[in-house]
Amino acid sequence: MKEFHCGSLVPGCEWHTRAEEEAEVMRRAVEHMRETHGETTIRETMIEAIRSRIQKVRDAA
């Protein structure tokens, strides 16, 4: 299970997502950046910043 907290990139944002695959976490994070933070162009540096903040978490039993 992978998890991303937007607040680790955008201070004050409490949005987060969790999914089995990193690719799904990335997809959701990019969608969130576009819809919530108004990012119209997602550059490679943004992708790298998101990817570096994705954490592996234990599955909730």
Side-chain angles (χ1 to χ4, degrees):
M1 187 69 77
K2 308 287 183 165
E3 185 173 69
F4 171 72
H5 288 266
C6 189
S8 67
L9 186 60
V10 181
C13 183
E14 296 192 18
W15 182 88
H16 64 280
T17 190
R18 183 182 285 189
E20 287 294 327
E21 301 295 325
E22 182 176 298
E24 179 61 16
V25 173
M26 287 295 301
R27 186 194 68 73
R28 292 176 187 177
V30 167
E31 182 178 282
H32 169 74
M33 297 305 276
R34 286 187 172 126
E35 292 179 359
T36 303
H37 300 297
E39 295 290 335
T40 55
T41 302
I42 306 297
R43 292 182 170 78
E44 185 63 29
T45 54
M46 177 70 75
I47 297 296
E48 291 169 7
I50 293 169
R51 184 172 286 125
S52 73
R53 289 165 172 85
I54 293 175
Q55 300 177 338
K56 186 174 184 175
V57 293
R58 293 182 60 197
D59 293 341

